[in-house]
Amino acid sequence: MIFLRQSVELAAFEAARVAIVRDTTSAQVTQAAKNILDNRKVKDYVIKVTPSDFQGAPYGSFIQLEVSAPCKTNGVISSIFYSGQSMVGQVEMMKEY
């Protein structure tokens, strides 16, 4: 589960770094997280950007990235320990000028 936690946190961090740059699209943000998660073979993940219209957010506002993945489909040990739980990585960064 440590690998899964690191994966979702790293994906959230890298996607947030992309999101704070001027003229970035939501597709670019999502792709930054997907690249990490797919390379690490994380399954059934969800990527959420807040605010959803981050491109129009004023400079200096905070953008939050949340990446979650279910433990059951991403675990290497018995799923009875993690049944119904998800691992969540969350990062918040200030939009750049």
Side-chain angles (χ1 to χ4, degrees):
M1 289 287 119
I2 293 171
F3 184 74
L4 179 59
R5 177 179 293 277
Q6 290 173 340
S7 298
V8 294
E9 288 179 356
L10 179 62
F13 178 79
E14 292 298 332
R17 288 186 58 207
V18 173
I20 63 173
V21 177
R22 184 175 25 166
D23 299 328
T24 299
T25 66
S26 58
Q28 290 170 315
V29 173
T30 303
Q31 191 61 47
K34 281 183 172 188
N35 288 343
I36 291 166
L37 296 167
D38 290 345
N39 284 334
R40 291 175 169 240
K41 306 215 183 327
V42 176
K43 301 175 203 123
D44 304 324
Y45 53 81
V46 176
I47 302 164
K48 180 181 172 188
V49 184
T50 307
S52 58
D53 63 340
F54 68 92
Q55 300 98 329
Y59 298 116
S61 60
F62 286 94
I63 298 172
Q64 185 178 65
L65 258 291
E66 182 179 290
V67 177
S68 61
C71 295
K72 184 177 181 179
T73 57
N74 290 291
V76 292
I77 60 173
S78 176
S79 63
I80 62 171
F81 298 112
Y82 301 104
S83 179
Q85 296 182 20
S86 289
M87 194 67 69
V88 178
Q90 191 173 21
V91 175
E92 187 174 63
M93 290 188 183
M94 185 182 295
K95 189 169 181 180
E96 295 180 350
Y97 290 96

